[in-house]
Amino acid sequence: MLKINQLKASVEDTPILKGLDLTIGPGEVHAIMGPNGSGKSTLASVLAGREEYEIGGGTVDFDGQDLLDMDATERARSGLFLAFQYPVEIPGVSNINFMRAALNGKREHAGLEPIAGKDFLNLVKEKASLVELDGKLRDRSVNEGFSGGEKKRNEIFQMAMLEPKFAVLDETDSGLDIDALRIVANGVNSMRSPERSFLVITHYQRLLDYIVPDFVHVLVDGKIVRTGGKELALELEERGYDWIKEGVVS
Amino acid sequence: MAYDGKDKVLEEVTAKAYEFGFTTDIESDKAPPGLSEEIIRFISDKKNEPEWLLKWRLEAFEVWKKMEEPEWPHLNYNKPDYQGISYYAAPKQKKELGSLDEVDPELLRTMEKLGISIEEQKRLSGVAVDFVMDSVSVATSFKAKLGELGIIFCSLGEAVQEHPELVKKYLGSIVPTKDNFFAALNSAVFTDGSFCYIPKGVRCPMELSTYFRINESGTGQFERTLLVADKGSYVSYLEGCTAPQRDENQLHAAVVELIALDEAEIKYSTVQNWYPGDAEGKGGVYNFVTKRGICHERSKISWTQVETGSAVTWKYPSCILKGDHSIGEFYSVAVTNNAQQADTGTKMIHLGRNTRSTIISKGISSGRSQNSYRGLVQIMPSAENARNFSQCDSLLMTDTSGAHTFPYIEVKNPSAKVEHEATTSKIGEDQIFYCLQRGIDAEQAISLIVNGYAKDVLNQLPMEFAVEARKLLAVSLEGSVG
Amino acid sequence: MSTALNKQPQLGPQRLPMHAASQTKGLEMERRLQALFPDCVNEAVDALLTTLPVPHRRLERWKYAAVNGFWAECARSQTQTLVATALDPLPVPGLDAYRLVFVNGRFDAASSSLPVAEGVTCMPLSDAEANGREKRILTDMERTDWFAALNGKYATDGVFLSIKDGVVLDRPLVIHQRQEGVGNPTFLRHSIHLGKHAEASVVVWSSSSDDASGFVNTLTTGAVGEGATLRLDKVQDEPGTVHHLAMESIDQAASSHFRIQTATIQGLWVRNDLAIALNGAGADAVLNGAFLPNKSEMVDNHTTVDHRMPHCTSSESYKGILYDKSKGVFNGKVFVRPDAQQTNAYQQNANILASREAVMNAKPELEIYADDVKCSHGCTIGQFDDDALFYAQSRGIGEAEAKSMLVHAFIADILDGFAVEEVALEVRHRLAEKHNWNRWDDPSDN
C-alpha cells in the first residue's frame, strides 16, 4: 500500500524528517507516536502534499505510484485521505456542497459520471449516521462555528464519504472528550477492511484503546527509532519517551 | 514535489477568453463621431421626440460643456476623446416591431449567444426581457401580459411617445442633468433604455429584465433606465451587460433612476460583464454609471450588483432615504482581474426618521488589478433614529493587486447608530490546501472559497441570476488566483 | 479612445485642485507673515507655497475642516513684545521632568530646565541650526500640504533632541507651548533623533491664556533608530480662540517602537496630522487619541500610517465624545506598499454624539498593495448606551454622574496608554473641570 524509503523533508531550511522508513501493507493499521517536535505532523503534511515542505530526498510509493510526483489533489483523488489535526473553516461554503465537489472530483478522476443528487443525499445520510453528525452540521459552512469534537467528527464523516484506500489521522484524538473519542473511533473501526490501511498519529495511548493498531512506531527526531506491537504504546505511556531517546543517543 | 505551489497551477490555468466577444453582423444606423448640438438634434429627431425633451437634452449639453471629468476616483485611465465617439448607432430595422417574432433573426441569434433565449425564458422562467443593443431597445417581451396588470414595461423611447406625462414627471428627478459629468453627458445624448411603471398596489408577477449590449465599434452606450414603483407596489428588476471584444475602449455612461413611492419595494440586480479588456489591459469598456433611487415613506430599495467586467468601473448605486421608515440596501461583489480597475460603492443619504441602511461589499482583487470600495453614509439632522451597518471586505488573490477602502461617514444626528467594519486579507492557503486534500482542484477550490466569501451578496440575487453570477465569478478569476 | 494605462497607481493624493479664492487668501496670509517675520527665508518653501493648493473644502485632505479662521486670525496678528506672565512653566504639577518652555513661539530660557546627560543633546532648535547641528530638511508633509509648508519657512524655534545609541533619557522631557495675546502666529518645529536602542518619553503640552487668539502651527519630526523607543504624549488644552495645527512626521527604522497618545481637552479649532512611515522591518507604531469637544469646538484627527517594509504592525484607536455644537473629524489612512508583506494593521474609531447639534465625520481608509496582510478597521458613531445609563440610574446614580462613568469607561484605554502617568492624571482632572463632572473615578480607586 505505502512504502516510504529514506524520506527527508524540511521547512524553511530546518530539516524535520531525516531519513524515515515505513512500510504499510493493505488492511494494516499503524500508529506513530513520538514526543513533540519529532516530525509526526510533518509526516502527515508531507504525505498529503503540503507545499511548504521541501522534500530533501527519499521515495514514497503509494500503491505502485510515485506519491511525491503527484500534487495534493491527485493524491486525494487516488485514495489518500488526511484527517487534519486542525480542520480548516471555510465560511459560506456548505459542508454538503464541499463534499459533493470532492466526491465528484474523485469520480471524475476514476472516469465516472457525477453522482446523482438523490444518491448523493442518501450517501450523506448513511455516512453521517456513522459519526452521529446531525443534519444541521451538514448544512452549515465547512467547520465554521463547529466545536472541536464536531470538527473531528466532520473529518471522519468526510473520510467515510470519500472511502480512501489509505487514511492518515493526524492527532484526531486531540481535544476530544471520551464520548466524542468513542464516536470517532467507532467511525474509523467500521471502515477497517482488508483493502484499507490507516496511519494513526497520536500523542497518547488512549486512542489506541479504541483503534487497535497492528504496529506501533516511535518517531524521534525525524526517524523511526523503534517498532513494535500495540504493547509498545502501553510501555510508552508508562515510561515516556526519554528512555528511547537515550537509547537513540547511545 | 510535483505540486510546487498555487502559482504554477494558476499559471497553467490560463485566462479564459471573454466568452461574449463576438460581434453581431447587422446593418446599423450610425451617426458620425462627435458631439454637438446638431448631433443631439439628430438623435432627438431620429427618436421623434417632443420639443421639451430636446430642450432638456440641450440644457444638459450646455451644463456638460462646463463640467470636468471627475478626478477623485482611485482610477488611472486615459480620458475618452468625447469627440471621437459616435453617439448614435441603431440596428437598422424596417419598421416598428409588433412582436418578438418580427425581430431581426440575426439579433435573436445574438441574444441566444448571450444565453438569453427569449423564447426559452418566456416559457420557463417567465422573465420579461427588454433588450438594448447599442443604446436602442429592440425587443420587449411579455408586454401584453404585463399590460393586463397595468404594468408598463417598454423602451424609454416608446414611453416618451406613449406615456409622456410619466416620463416628463420623473426623468431627471433623481439624477438631475447637472448631477455629475457622466450623468450630464448621458442626459444630452441618451438614445434609449428601459422604462417601467408599476401601478399602485401591484406586485409584478415576474422578474423584469434588461440586457444591454454594445455592438458597434467606435460607439458609446448611453442608455437610461427609469423605474417608478407606485404606492404599495413591488418589482424585481434585473440588468445584464455584455460587449464584444474590441481593442479600443468603449464608453458606457448610463443613468438609472428609481422611484419607490410610499410602501413600494424595488429590488434592482445587476450582473455587469462588459468586456474587461485583454490580459495586458488593452481595450475594454469604461463603465461610468450613475444609479440612484429615492425612497418615500416605508418604501425599500435594494441594489445588488455583481461586477466582473469592464476595464474601468465608476459606479455608486445610491439611495436617498427621504421617507420615514424607508430602507436602503446595497449588496455588492466586485471582482477585478488582470489590469481592471474598479472604484465602486454606494451612498446612503438618510433624511427620514427611522431610516435604515445596510451595505455589504465584497471586493476580490486579482492579477494586477485595483479594486476600491468608496461609500458615503450620511445621516442628516432630520433623520431621527437612523441606522446603518456597513461591512466592506476585501480579498487579495495576488501580491500585485490592490484593495482599497474609502468610506465616508457623516453623522449630524445624535440618535443615529452607524457601524462600519472592514477587513482585508489574503485568500487562505489553509483553505485551499484543505480543498486540495479532499480532491477538489485548485481552480474549483478558489471558486468555492470565493463563492462562499461572496455568499451574503449572491444570496440576494434572484435564482436564475445567482447561477449566472456564480459561473461568472469563477470565469472572472480563472488563470489569476492564488 | 486609447488604452487604459495599468501602471502601479501612485500612493497618496494624486491630483490637487486649486481654488482661486483660497489661493488669494493664502497669499495674503503669507505676505503678512513675511512682514511679521522678515528674517524667515526659504526658497524651497516659497516654490511650494505658489504651486501647492491652499487648503479648501474640495481638497480631500481638508474636506471636513474649514480653514477660514486662520485667515481671520492672521489678519489681526501684530508684532508685539511679550508681556511677562505668571506662567506655571510645568503644566503637570509635581512631575519630575525636564522642560522647555515656549511662549508665542519663543524660547523662554528662564522657565526651562534642559537635560544634561551623557549621550543626550538638547537645546532650542534655533541654537542647533545656528551651530550647524541641525539642518532644516523639508518633510513629505511640507512638500504636499500648503499649511505644513509654512512651517518649513516660518518655524522660528522649537526643541532639538538627539540621543545616542543605547542611551535612555532618564526623565520625561516636557515641551510646553504657551499661546498668549491677540492674533499671534506661532510656528514651532521640534526635531527628535533617537539612536539605535535609545529611549525617550516626550510630552508636548499646549496651553493658552483664556483670552488668547492667533494660531499655532507645530511640526514634530522624529527619526526613531533601529530598536529605539519613542513615546509621545500630546495634550492640547487651549482656551480662547486659538487655532491649532499639530503635525508629527515620524520615520521608524527596523524593530523600532513609536507610540503617540493625544488628548484634546480644549481648543476652538484643533487639527492633528500624523504621518508615520514604517521604514524598517519589524517596526511597530501605536497611535491613540481621545477628544471631547464641546461648544463650537472642532477637532480633526488625521493619520497616515505608511507600511513600507515587511513584518510591521500598526494599531490605532481614536475615540471621541462630541458635546453641544462641536464637530469631530477622523481620517485615518493605512497604506500597505507592495513590499510590506506580513503587515498587521488595525484601526478603530469610535464616537459618541452627546448632543443634537454635534457632528462627526469619519473616513477610515485602507489602501493595500500587498497580499499577505491582515488589515482591518472599524468605525462606529452612536450615543450613550441607554440601557447602561438606566441601569446606573436605577441604582441611584445621577444622570450626570452616570454619564461621566460611561465617558470614563469609553476613553479609559486611551488615557491608560499615556507614557507618563502624571500626564494622564492631569488630563483626567482637566477634562472633569471642563465638563463639570463632579466625580471622576481615580483609576487607583478601582
Side-chain angles (χ1 to χ4, degrees), chain B residues 300-313:
Chain B
K300 176 176 174 183
I301 289 179
S302 180
W303 297 99
T304 304
Q305 60 173 24
V306 175
E307 300 280 317
T308 61
S310 297
V312 181
T313 297

PDB file of all heavy atoms in Angstrom, chain B residues 300-313:
ATOM      1  N   LYS B 300     -38.716  50.641   0.117  1.00  0.00           N
ATOM      2  CA  LYS B 300     -37.423  49.975   0.213  1.00  0.00           C
ATOM      3  C   LYS B 300     -36.801  49.841  -1.177  1.00  0.00           C
ATOM      4  O   LYS B 300     -37.473  49.448  -2.129  1.00  0.00           O
ATOM      5  CB  LYS B 300     -37.630  48.587   0.814  1.00  0.00           C
ATOM      6  CG  LYS B 300     -36.370  47.747   0.880  1.00  0.00           C
ATOM      7  CD  LYS B 300     -36.675  46.430   1.579  1.00  0.00           C
ATOM      8  CE  LYS B 300     -35.478  45.505   1.534  1.00  0.00           C
ATOM      9  NZ  LYS B 300     -35.781  44.206   2.134  1.00  0.00           N
ATOM     10  N   ILE B 301     -35.544  50.179  -1.243  1.00  0.00           N
ATOM     11  CA  ILE B 301     -34.801  49.924  -2.488  1.00  0.00           C
ATOM     12  C   ILE B 301     -33.601  49.067  -2.131  1.00  0.00           C
ATOM     13  O   ILE B 301     -32.855  49.359  -1.194  1.00  0.00           O
ATOM     14  CB  ILE B 301     -34.338  51.226  -3.163  1.00  0.00           C
ATOM     15  CG1 ILE B 301     -35.549  51.970  -3.748  1.00  0.00           C
ATOM     16  CG2 ILE B 301     -33.328  50.930  -4.277  1.00  0.00           C
ATOM     17  CD1 ILE B 301     -35.222  53.281  -4.416  1.00  0.00           C
ATOM     18  N   SER B 302     -33.434  48.018  -2.880  1.00  0.00           N
ATOM     19  CA  SER B 302     -32.319  47.118  -2.626  1.00  0.00           C
ATOM     20  C   SER B 302     -31.510  46.970  -3.905  1.00  0.00           C
ATOM     21  O   SER B 302     -32.019  46.510  -4.924  1.00  0.00           O
ATOM     22  CB  SER B 302     -32.897  45.778  -2.174  1.00  0.00           C
ATOM     23  OG  SER B 302     -31.860  44.891  -1.925  1.00  0.00           O
ATOM     24  N   TRP B 303     -30.261  47.400  -3.856  1.00  0.00           N
ATOM     25  CA  TRP B 303     -29.363  47.251  -5.010  1.00  0.00           C
ATOM     26  C   TRP B 303     -28.492  46.021  -4.788  1.00  0.00           C
ATOM     27  O   TRP B 303     -27.891  45.881  -3.730  1.00  0.00           O
ATOM     28  CB  TRP B 303     -28.405  48.435  -5.144  1.00  0.00           C
ATOM     29  CG  TRP B 303     -28.994  49.787  -5.390  1.00  0.00           C
ATOM     30  CD1 TRP B 303     -29.213  50.769  -4.457  1.00  0.00           C
ATOM     31  CD2 TRP B 303     -29.386  50.346  -6.657  1.00  0.00           C
ATOM     32  NE1 TRP B 303     -29.729  51.883  -5.063  1.00  0.00           N
ATOM     33  CE2 TRP B 303     -29.846  51.656  -6.405  1.00  0.00           C
ATOM     34  CE3 TRP B 303     -29.396  49.860  -7.964  1.00  0.00           C
ATOM     35  CZ2 TRP B 303     -30.304  52.497  -7.424  1.00  0.00           C
ATOM     36  CZ3 TRP B 303     -29.858  50.702  -8.971  1.00  0.00           C
ATOM     37  CH2 TRP B 303     -30.310  52.006  -8.701  1.00  0.00           C
ATOM     38  N   THR B 304     -28.438  45.169  -5.762  1.00  0.00           N
ATOM     39  CA  THR B 304     -27.479  44.069  -5.686  1.00  0.00           C
ATOM     40  C   THR B 304     -26.657  44.111  -6.958  1.00  0.00           C
ATOM     41  O   THR B 304     -27.217  44.214  -8.061  1.00  0.00           O
ATOM     42  CB  THR B 304     -28.194  42.712  -5.595  1.00  0.00           C
ATOM     43  OG1 THR B 304     -29.079  42.744  -4.474  1.00  0.00           O
ATOM     44  CG2 THR B 304     -27.199  41.584  -5.406  1.00  0.00           C
ATOM     45  N   GLN B 305     -25.365  44.067  -6.841  1.00  0.00           N
ATOM     46  CA  GLN B 305     -24.564  44.078  -8.053  1.00  0.00           C
ATOM     47  C   GLN B 305     -23.439  43.054  -7.988  1.00  0.00           C
ATOM     48  O   GLN B 305     -22.820  42.836  -6.961  1.00  0.00           O
ATOM     49  CB  GLN B 305     -23.997  45.471  -8.339  1.00  0.00           C
ATOM     50  CG  GLN B 305     -23.087  46.029  -7.252  1.00  0.00           C
ATOM     51  CD  GLN B 305     -22.417  47.336  -7.668  1.00  0.00           C
ATOM     52  OE1 GLN B 305     -22.902  48.061  -8.529  1.00  0.00           O
ATOM     53  NE2 GLN B 305     -21.273  47.638  -7.069  1.00  0.00           N
ATOM     54  N   VAL B 306     -23.237  42.411  -9.118  1.00  0.00           N
ATOM     55  CA  VAL B 306     -22.079  41.543  -9.279  1.00  0.00           C
ATOM     56  C   VAL B 306     -21.299  42.139 -10.431  1.00  0.00           C
ATOM     57  O   VAL B 306     -21.741  42.141 -11.571  1.00  0.00           O
ATOM     58  CB  VAL B 306     -22.499  40.096  -9.583  1.00  0.00           C
ATOM     59  CG1 VAL B 306     -21.270  39.242  -9.867  1.00  0.00           C
ATOM     60  CG2 VAL B 306     -23.293  39.515  -8.436  1.00  0.00           C
ATOM     61  N   GLU B 307     -20.156  42.714 -10.093  1.00  0.00           N
ATOM     62  CA  GLU B 307     -19.376  43.441 -11.089  1.00  0.00           C
ATOM     63  C   GLU B 307     -18.152  42.614 -11.439  1.00  0.00           C
ATOM     64  O   GLU B 307     -17.269  42.446 -10.616  1.00  0.00           O
ATOM     65  CB  GLU B 307     -18.914  44.786 -10.508  1.00  0.00           C
ATOM     66  CG  GLU B 307     -20.034  45.708 -10.076  1.00  0.00           C
ATOM     67  CD  GLU B 307     -20.647  46.441 -11.251  1.00  0.00           C
ATOM     68  OE1 GLU B 307     -19.884  46.912 -12.113  1.00  0.00           O
ATOM     69  OE2 GLU B 307     -21.885  46.507 -11.329  1.00  0.00           O
ATOM     70  N   THR B 308     -18.123  42.087 -12.629  1.00  0.00           N
ATOM     71  CA  THR B 308     -16.932  41.305 -13.004  1.00  0.00           C
ATOM     72  C   THR B 308     -16.268  41.878 -14.235  1.00  0.00           C
ATOM     73  O   THR B 308     -15.111  41.603 -14.496  1.00  0.00           O
ATOM     74  CB  THR B 308     -17.294  39.832 -13.301  1.00  0.00           C
ATOM     75  OG1 THR B 308     -18.203  39.806 -14.394  1.00  0.00           O
ATOM     76  CG2 THR B 308     -17.914  39.159 -12.116  1.00  0.00           C
ATOM     77  N   GLY B 309     -16.985  42.654 -15.015  1.00  0.00           N
ATOM     78  CA  GLY B 309     -16.441  43.120 -16.284  1.00  0.00           C
ATOM     79  C   GLY B 309     -15.930  44.539 -16.219  1.00  0.00           C
ATOM     80  O   GLY B 309     -15.724  45.094 -15.147  1.00  0.00           O
ATOM     81  N   SER B 310     -15.723  45.128 -17.398  1.00  0.00           N
ATOM     82  CA  SER B 310     -15.273  46.500 -17.612  1.00  0.00           C
ATOM     83  C   SER B 310     -13.788  46.682 -17.286  1.00  0.00           C
ATOM     84  O   SER B 310     -13.272  46.125 -16.330  1.00  0.00           O
ATOM     85  CB  SER B 310     -16.069  47.523 -16.792  1.00  0.00           C
ATOM     86  OG  SER B 310     -17.407  47.514 -17.192  1.00  0.00           O
ATOM     87  N   ALA B 311     -13.149  47.510 -18.124  1.00  0.00           N
ATOM     88  CA  ALA B 311     -11.753  47.850 -17.865  1.00  0.00           C
ATOM     89  C   ALA B 311     -11.697  48.795 -16.677  1.00  0.00           C
ATOM     90  O   ALA B 311     -10.865  48.663 -15.788  1.00  0.00           O
ATOM     91  CB  ALA B 311     -11.138  48.487 -19.100  1.00  0.00           C
ATOM     92  N   VAL B 312     -12.611  49.755 -16.670  1.00  0.00           N
ATOM     93  CA  VAL B 312     -12.659  50.742 -15.592  1.00  0.00           C
ATOM     94  C   VAL B 312     -14.121  50.891 -15.158  1.00  0.00           C
ATOM     95  O   VAL B 312     -14.994  51.074 -15.991  1.00  0.00           O
ATOM     96  CB  VAL B 312     -12.133  52.120 -16.066  1.00  0.00           C
ATOM     97  CG1 VAL B 312     -12.176  53.117 -14.914  1.00  0.00           C
ATOM     98  CG2 VAL B 312     -10.724  52.008 -16.619  1.00  0.00           C
ATOM     99  N   THR B 313     -14.346  50.787 -13.876  1.00  0.00           N
ATOM    100  CA  THR B 313     -15.713  50.939 -13.368  1.00  0.00           C
ATOM    101  C   THR B 313     -15.778  52.111 -12.396  1.00  0.00           C
ATOM    102  O   THR B 313     -14.909  52.252 -11.532  1.00  0.00           O
ATOM    103  CB  THR B 313     -16.164  49.654 -12.645  1.00  0.00           C
ATOM    104  OG1 THR B 313     -16.176  48.593 -13.593  1.00  0.00           O
ATOM    105  CG2 THR B 313     -17.551  49.808 -12.054  1.00  0.00           C
TER     106      THR B 313
END
